[in-house]
Amino acid sequence: MAALARERFDLQRGPLLRLGGLALTHDRAVLTVAVHHIVVDEWSMAVLQRDLLALYHASRRGQAPELRELSVDYAAYSAWATQTLHSRERALLAFWTEYLRDRPAPASLPRNARPGPCAGRARLDRSRSARRCRPACVPGPATRVSRS
């Protein structure tokens, strides 16, 4: 079971759902379900758990399982969710277009035509006070302190 849990999922080839079992005694066992989060959400996991339990109990009684029909058609839900998302995007775009309509245009500042002496030599400043990218030729906080 630990190996099943540690095994990585391959999103290109699958499988994205794996089952494993371990017999504890002659009448006790453990079922392990490993599923990638990209293919299941909380609601779907509850449906899977409910259906697996129904299959198990029906098998123990020697009966055919009675699985409930889903109350939602996934294709219809997906279409609804997509339409809802697009309508929210349109509403946000309309809001910001209206909000920014009377704002001044961005300033048109001249650009430096020549690259400076530090062009292309940026490095990450790893000091605690400033985590930003700065040109390598600009001394960092540690350099400034050591020179004073």
Side-chain angles (χ1 to χ4, degrees):
M1 288 181 11
L4 181 72
R6 281 193 305 270
E7 187 178 340
R8 292 188 163 276
F9 289 100
D10 184 340
L11 296 177
Q12 298 292 322
R13 294 181 306 173
L16 299 180
L17 181 132
R18 295 188 297 263
L19 301 175
L22 176 65
L24 301 175
T25 64
H26 74 283
D27 63 344
R28 292 194 64 193
V30 175
L31 173 68
T32 304
V33 178
V35 61
H36 194 280
H37 67 91
I38 201 167
V39 297
V40 70
D41 58 8
E42 184 178 3
W43 179 81
S44 302
M45 197 64 192
V47 171
L48 177 63
Q49 182 180 6
R50 181 193 70 208
D51 288 354
L52 285 174
L53 285 171
L55 290 166
Y56 170 76
H57 290 300
S59 173
R60 295 276 298 175
R61 291 189 302 267
Q63 300 172 345
E66 294 181 26
L67 301 178
R68 287 191 271 159
E69 290 290 322
L70 292 177
S71 60
V72 176
D73 174 45
Y74 184 76
Y77 170 77
S78 180
W80 170 82
T82 301
Q83 189 247 347
T84 301
L85 179 63
H86 288 308
S87 66
R88 286 183 183 159
E89 288 173 349
R90 285 190 297 273
L92 281 171
L93 180 61
F95 168 80
W96 284 108
T97 301
E98 175 64 25
Y99 183 78
L100 297 172
R101 181 178 346 149
D102 297 327
R103 299 290 188 252
S108 178
L109 301 174
R111 298 180 71 186
N112 187 354
R114 293 182 307 145
C118 300
R121 295 188 305 179
R123 72 175 177 221
L124 183 64
D125 184 349
R126 297 194 183 277
S127 68
R128 288 180 188 233
S129 61
R131 295 199 185 273
R132 58 189 163 84
C133 198
R134 63 178 173 77
C137 63
V138 176
T143 307
R144 276 188 240 119
V145 170
S146 65
R147 290 184 183 165
S148 47

